[in-house]
Amino acid sequence: MTDSERGDDQWGVWRGRIGASRKRRDERLPEWQENVTARKGVLAPLADTTSTINARTNAIGVNQDWPLTKAKVAQLYSQTPEVRLMPRDDAFRPAVPIFGRELNDTIQAVSVGTTIEEVLCDVVNAAGIGGVLVSCDTRTEAREVPVIDPATLPPDQQMAAMQGALEIPTTTVEHPVDIRYLAQRISPSDLLVPSDFTGSNYDHARWLGEDGRMTWSQAVNAFGLDESVKEKVLGRDKRMTGTSLNTDSTVYTDTDVVTYTQLFYWRHYYHQDETNFKALQRLVFVDGLEEPVINEPYQAQRRVGDRLVGVTKNPIRVLTLTYISDDSLPPSDSSISRGDVDELSQFREGERQQRKHSIPVRWFDTNRVSPNTRSLLERGTPQGFIPTNGPGDRAIGEVARTNYPPERLKFEDNVKNDLTEKWQVGSNQTGAFASGERSAREAGIIEKNFQRRVGQEQDKVSKFFLGIAEVLAGHLALYGTFDLPDELGQNREFLADAFTYSVRVDSTVRLDAEQRIDQLLKAWNVTGQTGYVNPKAIVSEIWELSGVDPSKVVIDPQPKPPEPLKISVSTALELRDPIMLAAAMRTHQAPTPDDVSAAIKLLNSLAGPGPQVPPPPPPDGRPPAEIVQPDIETAPRIDRRAEDFGA
């Protein structure tokens, strides 16, 4: 039997599921609040002492959560990568640059990077789990539109309609005026996960939800509420009672709000007639009302025949970095290391008490000290002169002070090593120098293992980012207004499922300019000569990282000229050979007619009034019509052979 067939009790079943999830979540809330408070540097008195760690400000002595959280978040996500699309079908290849640009622009517009940074703080420090709700918000207005398109009417009826003789019936439709896409963080204190879910892939959970709140005007637009229920649903923000990670409840006393619970569940779990495993149902309860205000198929999905298009993932995206067997609410790094941080704070408190109570105290011999000297000693004038009769080393002395046990300093080092192992963030990763001597080989092994472990968590963050991108892509496919090629205009709604989504390896971690340039140059040196690489993009990025606008210095590559010939000429007659001259002309090594004319003019100017150089022969090889100097003969040979009889 499905929930829709249970009669009046169907919503009680759902409220029971929500209550069980909320109870399990709220049991962890005090621990999460303690983690957040400790990160801010404030902590309650220690359990085994009667004093606070710092009585004046109640601040903890050693705040390890602050630097470790900042370092861990920066290692996992320090920049928003660019999503790359790979078409599943070549028919959608023309849409790659258009849809890819639209998707990446939307990711920047909705500040996905900022949202992920907020969620990582939840996961690393507060609760070990965080969530994001990806949605599309529209504003519409009622407009009267014709029931039929006037352009489809016969010409005479179109003319009559224009003249007012024919009235075309109209209907009222909601016309979208504005649209925005949202990727909003869900506080762990608002996130709802089924109490019986025990996995780490939250897309496999039967449902996911959130507790939320909005103003009355928002609720009217989002849920269709009217004035008849305003008094029932409008009330104070429940976070005033301490159900938030922020323990300062005074920040939630601004105005009355509408409190609601929103769920998205996979229909095939609760609807026997559902034929698609990716179909989602949206369910919204508002506090003060018995019936849900929204119970409908998820509007960001559309059925085209047997196929479901649009958003095919749960719009609530959940991130965790750790899996605890059969526990869907894993602890955060701060929770795991809380005992170590408290112990380290106790050590620091001991050091403070040592400094406080080990104040130098002097003694004096009443039999050797005069009344005036005794008065000076009792007043305790700092650095004052004490008169004595003779040497005062036996009359005045200092009471021995207790020393701080050196083994406690060793304990502090052990605690810090434990923190490094649990967080996998050492001094070097936080931007500080590590203490102690280390060999280069040991440092290399440590860094290699660190990169392996942090790489696993970076991969989870990248998949979380891509999940958000895919849900945004589903909304863009259904509601986007960007232009597509004519051959794809009819297939817009299939766009989201037409691609696979990926990001460049380690693209979520920012490199400094020098590291990035070195990375580009190494890749170029290996692949630049293969013929499969367009170097313009690499050159442009190198110039950009160097602080120069690429558009001002980078040009399109010019075609490479043919390799020059290696020509050896023994006589001028060889240059008149057609084949040799053609080869030289092909590589732009042959003289042009202008070059020959200029050379003749140069030689004649150097020769002065004497014999002149004849002009070049005509192209057909015939002798010139006139010889300027008929008496010129070939110079006599210098090397003469015997068989030529000395000629």
Side-chain angles (χ1 to χ4, degrees), residues 54-272:
N54 188 312
R56 184 173 64 85
T57 62
N58 202 31
I60 64 175
V62 184
N63 187 349
Q64 291 291 299
D65 294 271
W66 181 269
L68 292 175
T69 299
K70 292 178 74 70
K72 189 69 171 286
V73 171
Q75 289 165 2
L76 297 178
Y77 191 93
S78 54
Q79 67 177 0
T80 301
E82 179 180 352
V83 179
R84 300 178 177 181
L85 308 183
M86 180 63 68
R88 303 178 190 270
D89 189 337
D90 286 341
F92 288 92
R93 192 171 298 277
V96 169
I98 302 174
F99 191 60
R101 181 174 60 252
E102 187 73 15
L103 176 58
N104 283 292
D105 289 347
T106 304
I107 289 173
Q108 295 294 332
V110 303
S111 301
V112 171
T114 302
T115 303
I116 292 181
E117 182 179 354
E118 296 170 355
V119 172
L120 279 173
C121 289
D122 293 335
V123 174
V124 174
N125 168 244
I129 188 171
V132 171
L133 173 62
V134 184
S135 60
C136 176
D137 193 8
T138 60
R139 287 293 179 267
T140 62
E141 65 179 9
R143 292 185 180 180
E144 295 290 331
V145 298
V147 176
I148 58 175
D149 186 0
T152 61
L153 297 175
D156 57 338
Q157 295 184 9
Q158 293 185 28
M159 183 61 67
M162 294 175 60
Q163 296 174 353
L166 176 63
E167 182 178 354
I168 300 177
T170 61
T171 184
T172 302
V173 298
E174 292 294 329
H175 180 76
V177 177
D178 196 9
I179 185 171
R180 66 172 180 171
Y181 304 96
L182 301 172
Q184 297 173 301
R185 164 188 172 264
I186 302 175
S187 172
S189 60
D190 289 332
L191 185 63
L192 294 171
V193 179
S195 59
D196 58 349
F197 178 65
T198 58
S200 61
N201 185 346
Y202 292 82
D203 279 331
H204 294 167
R206 291 193 291 271
W207 59 270
L208 294 172
E210 62 149 350
D211 288 329
R213 57 218 51 89
M214 59 177 59
T215 64
W216 171 251
S217 297
Q218 286 179 298
V220 170
N221 288 320
F223 304 144
L225 302 182
D226 54 36
E227 293 292 333
S228 63
V229 298
K230 184 174 182 179
E231 293 185 0
K232 295 181 179 180
V233 301
L234 201 60
R236 284 298 189 184
D237 195 327
K238 291 185 177 180
R239 290 175 294 181
M240 293 174 54
T241 60
T243 59
S244 168
L245 298 184
N246 189 350
T247 54
D248 183 7
S249 59
T250 61
V251 300
Y252 304 117
T253 59
D254 182 37
T255 183
D256 290 340
V257 295
V258 176
T259 304
Y260 66 90
T261 300
Q262 179 173 222
L263 305 180
F264 298 90
Y265 66 82
W266 301 107
R267 287 176 53 87
H268 69 272
Y269 284 115
Y270 305 104
H271 297 261
Q272 294 177 356

Side-chain angles (χ1 to χ4, degrees), residues 349-477:
E349 172 67 7
E351 293 179 11
R352 191 181 70 84
Q353 294 294 336
Q354 166 71 15
R355 293 192 301 270
K356 177 180 178 180
H357 295 289
S358 293
I359 300 175
V361 178
R362 290 179 294 179
W363 60 266
F364 60 88
D365 188 347
T366 58
N367 296 322
R368 296 175 181 268
V369 175
S370 66
N372 292 335
T373 302
R374 178 175 180 174
S375 176
L376 292 174
L377 290 172
E378 289 177 347
R379 287 200 302 266
T381 304
Q383 304 296 329
F385 289 94
I386 306 298
T388 61
N389 185 11
D393 55 342
R394 300 182 62 183
I396 303 173
E398 181 180 343
V399 178
R401 289 177 291 171
T402 58
N403 295 321
Y404 191 73
E407 63 270 14
R408 292 179 68 89
L409 299 177
K410 181 63 176 177
F411 291 155
E412 288 190 30
D413 293 338
N414 292 337
V415 171
K416 291 182 178 180
N417 291 334
D418 292 341
L419 289 173
T420 298
E421 292 177 358
K422 293 175 180 178
W423 284 75
Q424 199 63 21
V425 177
S427 300
N428 295 145
Q429 282 73 41
T430 58
F433 288 101
S435 60
E437 297 182 359
R438 297 289 188 270
S439 66
R441 176 176 174 79
E442 182 182 6
I445 294 174
I446 293 173
E447 181 64 20
K448 183 177 180 180
N449 291 331
F450 164 76
Q451 292 296 339
R452 182 181 296 113
R453 174 169 166 178
V454 78
Q456 180 191 33
E457 295 180 341
Q458 287 173 353
D459 182 63
K460 293 182 178 180
V461 176
S462 296
K463 291 178 179 178
F464 177 65
F465 168 78
L466 287 174
I468 296 175
E470 287 190 48
V471 177
L472 282 174
H475 283 94
L476 287 171

Side-chain angles (χ1 to χ4, degrees), residues 327-345:
D327 189 353
S328 59
L329 299 178
S332 66
D333 290 355
S334 290
S335 294
I336 292 298
S337 62
R338 179 61 50 224
D340 294 319
V341 174
D342 290 345
E343 185 177 8
L344 188 59
S345 296

Side-chain angles (χ1 to χ4, degrees), residues 488-545:
L488 294 175
Q490 302 299 323
N491 297 321
R492 174 188 294 270
E493 55 194 8
F494 295 97
L495 281 178
D497 196 42
F499 306 99
T500 58
Y501 302 83
S502 64
V503 294
R504 180 174 54 82
V505 178
D506 294 338
S507 58
T508 58
V509 181
R510 183 183 298 276
L511 302 176
D512 62 42
E514 293 298 329
Q515 290 175 321
R516 181 59 178 159
I517 290 175
D518 290 342
Q519 188 182 60
L520 292 172
L521 291 178
K522 288 180 180 179
W524 194 0
N525 289 335
V526 174
T527 63
Q529 300 300 322
T530 61
Y532 294 99
V533 178
N534 178 12
K536 184 176 181 180
I538 300 176
V539 174
S540 297
E541 186 171 352
I542 291 175
W543 278 108
E544 184 178 5
L545 292 169

Side-chain angles (χ1 to χ4, degrees), residues 553-584:
V553 296
V554 179
I555 61 174
D556 291 330
Q558 302 299 318
K560 186 177 181 180
E563 292 290 334
L565 296 175
K566 295 181 179 180
I567 300 176
S568 177
V569 180
S570 59
T571 65
L573 295 176
E574 294 181 358
L575 292 176
R576 298 177 60 184
D577 184 270
I579 296 178
M580 183 174 183
L581 188 62

